[in-house]
Amino acid sequence: MEHWTLTVIDGSEQGLEKPLGEEIILGRSLDNDLVLSHSAVSRRHARIFAADFVVYIEDLESTHGTRVNGEACNKRALNNNDIITIGPVSMKIGCEQPVPNPDATNIIYVQPTEAPSIHEISVRDFEKTVTDRDISARLEAVLQIGLTLQGEREIGPLLQRIGETLINTLAVERCGIFLGEDTSPQLVMAAKGIENPDKLPFSKSLLQRAISDGEALVTADAGKDARVRSESVVAGAIRSAMVAPMWGREHVIGAVVVENRDRTNAFDSEDLRLLVVLANLAGTAFQNTMLIQEVRRETEERAALSRFFSPAVAEHIRSETRSELSNSRQEISVLFTDIRGFTRLSETSDPGKLVDLLNRYFHELTEAIFEVEGCVDKFTGDGVLALFGTPVPQSDHARRAVRAGQEILRRCSQLRTPEGEPLAVGIGIATGAAIVGPVGSEKRREFTAIGDVVNIAAGLVELANAGELLTIDTTVEAGELNGLAEALGDRNIKGLERELKIYSVDIGTPIE
């Protein structure tokens, strides 16, 4: 197409023929290219021009507006035989497209993109063909979009805002957001005019070029484009479309697609330029939101782990496993504590003072256990169950358990009951095999240990006197405690059919 024509439909055959490189101004003023003498026509009412083989009409802020095929418009691409109405005057545009070449493409604009850098958006970012009003509106849109998207902290609402922003800013009929760094991205949001929000017919070829090659594209008529034609395009009745990659900090993380199903040549290079800016903002906002959620998840994960493990063990679990702990059989050491005479204490003490004592007591227990990187399994009313050698294997778990027991008794000797008496605490420690891992329901799971070794430690603490730490031969052997452990003979342990050799550990000689 080398020329376009404009004919006034009033029987006078008044009209113009212009080459593509020229534009005309229509209006009431005598210095216009086409003079339309009527009071409803502004002095400079509209202009018609061509860019990249597409003819456009743009209203020049006229009083009564410009219509194309009965619809008011500010700026739009024109098709052959479109009827332009200015005041009472109707005109027909002639811009016949050449016969399509099967090997040609209807992709009329291609803009390479790259990871966005921090820079100042100015009027230089837009072509001179854009009016000052359009520049102001687009810069305002970019500013508002940046503020809106950067303030969202949840993925679902963020994607919805991105979709609404694209539709409202670009005045498109519908849009879709695809996420993925390969050639099969997943549609995660589709908006406006789509009966099934889970499906958005669109060309996989265009998506591949956007995501794989980082290209932003405008297609004038996707249904006629041999390079992008596909069943998805035809089924969706797509005429004009734009697609732009969503850049993260260093690579493409997806693409945004906007469509117009009724008009060909609905988008120009400036629309594509604006879409690229919006897609970059959307990509940055999406990645920021993902980062915030990752930080939130890690914070919650650390908080959950810190309930049971020392900070060093918790961090080791996070960095090494990066997944849910599994159940396994391990050789571990188990520690139980118990306050002697707690039933009497709870009956005679002020509730508030008793709770305050328990809080200080559990604080000292936890600190002593965490000092040797043990695991607090659970609090048991007036005691604690602690594990050593799991979930992170420790070759010296028996010595760690004894060290923790000695430190617990030392700390508890400084605590006083509401009546002013020393807090009487006994400890039992056992070493042996157990099944360890998360146990519980779908709604609540806890890391714990199951096996005879747990029952033995619980039985030992019942035998222990105030300020006494009892253990068995397996702990003495594993911890090499021969010089620190006094044999007390064989004793029956509740729940066991056999007797065990019981030892009392010297509290006054801390082990290393």
Side-chain angles (χ1 to χ4, degrees):
M1 180 182 66
E2 298 181 354
H3 295 77
W4 56 268
T5 61
L6 184 67
T7 304
V8 178
I9 308 174
D10 63 355
S12 66
E13 299 300 325
Q14 178 185 6
L16 292 171
E17 179 176 335
K18 290 286 185 179
L20 284 180
E22 295 186 18
E23 70 172 22
I24 66 166
I25 305 296
L26 298 80
R28 194 175 71 246
S29 176
L30 296 178
D31 59 355
N32 290 317
D33 298 292
L34 183 60
V35 179
L36 305 175
S37 300
H38 196 280
S39 59
V41 179
S42 298
R43 293 180 58 82
R44 288 172 56 85
H45 197 106
R47 72 175 183 132
I48 298 177
F49 65 97
D52 298 303
F53 301 96
V54 180
V55 180
Y56 297 89
I57 185 166
E58 179 180 23
D59 186 81
L60 300 178
E61 301 185 10
S62 64
T63 302
H64 298 288
T66 301
R67 293 181 176 273
V68 177
N69 300 329
E71 296 182 0
C73 69
N74 290 323
K75 176 185 176 183
R76 64 174 286 176
L78 297 172
N79 296 316
N80 191 45
N81 294 325
D82 277 350
I83 303 300
I84 302 169
T85 302
I86 295 179
V89 182
S90 294
M91 295 155 282
K92 181 167 66 175
I93 190 75
C95 51
E96 194 73 48
Q97 297 286 347
V99 177
N101 180 345
D103 297 326
T105 175
N106 274 306
I107 296 178
I108 56 176
Y109 304 111
V110 177
Q111 178 178 331
T113 66
E114 58 184 12
S117 58
I118 300 175
H119 67 284
E120 180 182 359
I121 298 175
S122 69
V123 296
R124 292 189 299 274
D125 290 329
F126 301 103
E127 299 286 354
K128 294 181 179 179
T129 54
V130 181
T131 65
D132 290 342
R133 181 179 63 176
D134 281 344
I135 291 176
S136 177
R138 292 182 182 210
L139 290 176
E140 177 68 20
V142 169
L143 174 62
Q144 292 302 321
I145 290 165
L147 294 175
T148 299
L149 298 186
Q150 301 303 325
E152 187 55 67
R153 294 296 178 262
E154 299 295 334
I155 294 298
L158 173 67
L159 293 173
Q160 191 63 37
R161 284 195 176 192
I162 291 173
E164 293 172 354
T165 298
L166 293 171
I167 289 173
N168 295 333
T169 305
L170 294 167
V172 297
E173 291 187 353
R174 59 184 191 174
C175 76
I177 300 172
F178 294 81
L179 292 180
E181 301 172 18
D182 52 25
T183 56
S184 299
Q186 298 298 310
L187 175 67
V188 295
M189 201 289 301
K192 198 173 181 180
I194 302 173
E195 294 181 359
N196 185 351
D198 296 326
K199 295 182 179 179
L200 178 70
F202 194 71
S203 166
K204 293 181 180 179
S205 300
L206 286 180
L207 282 175
Q208 183 174 353
R209 291 185 63 175
I211 294 176
S212 300
D213 303 333
E215 292 182 340
L217 309 104
V218 174
T219 178
D221 191 342
K224 295 181 180 180
D225 195 327
R227 292 178 59 184
V228 301
R229 183 179 178 86
S230 66
E231 291 182 1
S232 60
V233 172
V234 176
I238 301 171
R239 301 302 297 275
S240 301
M242 292 193 294
V243 57
M246 285 176 57
W247 279 91
R249 289 175 176 80
E250 298 178 351
H251 58 274
V252 176
I253 61 174
V256 294
V257 174
V258 295
E259 300 174 352
N260 190 308
R261 292 174 291 173
D262 297 329
R263 292 189 293 119
T264 61
N265 300 317
F267 306 118
D268 59 21
S269 60
E270 289 308 311
D271 294 321
L272 183 63
R273 186 186 294 269
L274 181 57
L275 179 64
V276 169
V277 174
L278 302 184
N280 282 342
L281 287 172
T284 301
F286 179 81
Q287 207 162 57
N288 286 344
T289 300
M290 291 291 290
L291 179 61
I292 290 171
Q293 292 199 343
E294 175 66 14
V295 171
R296 182 186 302 166
R297 186 191 66 78
E298 290 186 358
T299 300
E300 293 173 351
E301 190 178 78
R302 282 194 178 97
L305 290 173
S306 67
R307 294 174 54 204
F308 309 106
F309 308 110
S310 68
V313 173
E315 189 60 33
H316 178 82
I317 294 171
R318 288 189 63 259
S319 61
E320 293 295 327
T321 64
R322 303 302 297 174
S323 62
E324 184 177 359
L325 296 171
S326 59
N327 298 97
S328 62
R329 184 178 294 275
Q330 298 179 24
E331 188 82 11
I332 64 171
S333 292
V334 179
L335 178 151
F336 261 106
T337 70
D338 182 72
I339 297 177
R340 309 285 80 177
F342 182 75
T343 300
R344 180 191 61 80
L345 193 63
S346 63
E347 291 175 349
T348 59
S349 300
D350 175 78
K353 293 181 179 179
L354 181 62
V355 170
D356 179 64
L357 172 64
L358 286 175
N359 286 337
R360 288 185 287 123
Y361 165 65
F362 287 132
H363 171 76
E364 299 297 344
L365 263 60
T366 301
E367 291 296 308
I369 293 166
F370 281 0
E371 278 184 4
V372 294
E373 299 183 350
C375 161
V376 175
D377 185 316
K378 61 177 63 68
F379 297 119
T380 59
D382 62 330
V384 67
L385 166 59
L387 309 177
F388 301 84
T390 186
V392 179
Q394 298 163 332
S395 60
D396 59 342
H397 55 81
R399 292 184 70 84
R400 290 173 187 257
V402 173
R403 282 172 55 194
Q406 291 178 323
E407 180 64 15
I408 287 171
L409 292 177
R410 187 192 69 78
R411 288 171 177 256
C412 288
S413 66
Q414 308 300 316
L415 299 178
R416 295 291 182 268
T417 67
E419 288 76 18
E421 299 176 355
L423 187 65
V425 176
I427 294 178
I429 296 175
T431 299
I435 297 173
V436 296
V439 176
S441 67
E442 292 182 0
K443 293 185 177 180
R444 180 179 173 83
R445 298 172 69 83
E446 291 186 347
F447 186 88
T448 191
I450 302 172
D452 279 350
V453 65
V454 179
N455 299 328
I456 293 171
L460 288 171
V461 78
E462 290 186 3
L463 298 176
N465 296 315
E468 188 175 32
L469 191 165
L470 297 183
T471 188
I472 56 175
D473 53 354
T474 54
T475 304
V476 173
E477 294 173 4
E480 300 177 350
L481 306 176
N482 293 325
L484 298 174
E486 178 186 355
L488 302 179
D490 294 345
R491 300 278 186 91
N492 288 319
I493 300 294
K494 183 179 180 180
L496 294 182
E497 297 180 355
R498 67 186 188 280
E499 291 185 341
L500 295 176
K501 294 184 181 297
I502 307 300
Y503 294 80
S504 177
V505 177
D506 181 8
I507 304 303
T509 308
I511 66 172
E512 297 298 327

